[in-house]
């Protein structure tokens, strides 16, 4: 059986945000075994799985991404939507916009230190829409 729901995440500022609880609170009851596929419908943010305990990891990730894809680069052509827009598109491609997570015994089968991140690459990205598909 396949179930699908839309989750609207609250707006967040630029950064890497732990959203595991926000996402799971909008899901129907999870099957004993299956898969959860998450897809964010935007081109200036991403989804990732990473450290869920030490918040310094999220700040370090932001610093790393800003060094890899800097703003104000003279070669950028797509600049009408702000200095953070073109870098956000590049960061989205690097991160990816979807995740697939196994479900075991009715729970997301994440590692003990793993959580789901919304990687917001715009200064003000607004609410983010995620398509959550459960496959049983």
């Amino acid at each position: 059986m396949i179930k699908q729901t839309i989750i609207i995440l609250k707006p967040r500022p630029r950064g890497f945000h732990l959203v595991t609880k926000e996402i799971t609170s909008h899901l129907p009851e999870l099957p004993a075994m299956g898969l959860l596929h998450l897809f964010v419908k935007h081109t200036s943010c991403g989804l990732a799985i990473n450290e869920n305990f030490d918040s310094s990891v999220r700040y370090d990730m932001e610093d790393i991404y800003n060094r890899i894809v800097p703003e104000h680069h003279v070669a950028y052509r797509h600049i009408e939507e702000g200095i953070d827009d073109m870098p956000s598109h590049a960061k989205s491609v690097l991160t990816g916009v979807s995740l697939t997570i196994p479900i075991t015994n009715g729970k997301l089968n994440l590692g003990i230190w793993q959580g789901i991140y919304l990687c917001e690459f715009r200064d003000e990205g607004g609410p983010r829409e995620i398509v959550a598909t459960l496959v049983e």
Side-chain angles (χ1 to χ4, degrees):
M1 179 188 299
I2 298 175
K3 297 178 186 175
Q4 195 169 75
T5 188
I6 301 295
I7 300 168
I8 307 294
L9 297 179
K10 67 181 182 181
R12 290 176 166 81
R14 183 195 306 222
F16 287 70
H17 304 280
L18 193 58
V19 294
T20 310
K21 289 180 184 175
E22 187 174 357
I23 287 174
T24 57
S25 73
H26 289 89
L27 296 175
E29 183 176 350
L30 297 179
M33 186 183 318
L35 294 171
L36 171 64
H37 183 265
L38 301 172
F39 173 80
V40 63
K41 296 172 61 173
H42 303 276
T43 61
S44 55
C45 63
L47 294 172
I49 293 177
N50 213 311
E51 168 76 51
N52 70 356
F53 181 73
D54 185 351
S55 62
S56 67
V57 170
R58 296 190 289 277
Y59 296 108
D60 288 343
M61 291 300 298
E62 172 73 12
D63 292 341
I64 291 165
Y65 267 60
N66 288 336
R67 282 194 305 274
I68 293 171
V69 184
E71 292 182 354
H72 302 291
H73 198 285
V74 296
Y76 297 156
R77 293 174 189 90
H78 179 71
I79 58 173
E80 275 73 30
E81 296 176 58
I83 61 169
D84 64 339
D85 192 45
M86 188 56 231
S88 71
H89 295 318
K91 292 172 184 178
S92 177
V93 169
L94 291 172
T95 305
V97 294
S98 67
L99 298 172
T100 302
I101 303 167
I103 299 167
T104 306
N105 298 322
K107 296 180 182 179
L108 297 183
N109 197 342
L110 293 168
I112 192 167
W113 303 116
Q114 289 182 319
I116 302 168
Y117 282 16
L118 171 69
C119 310
E120 180 56 68
F121 301 126
R122 296 295 309 261
D123 289 333
E124 296 179 30
R128 297 304 194 171
E129 186 174 338
I130 293 180
V131 179
T133 305
L134 282 167
V135 180
E136 190 172 347

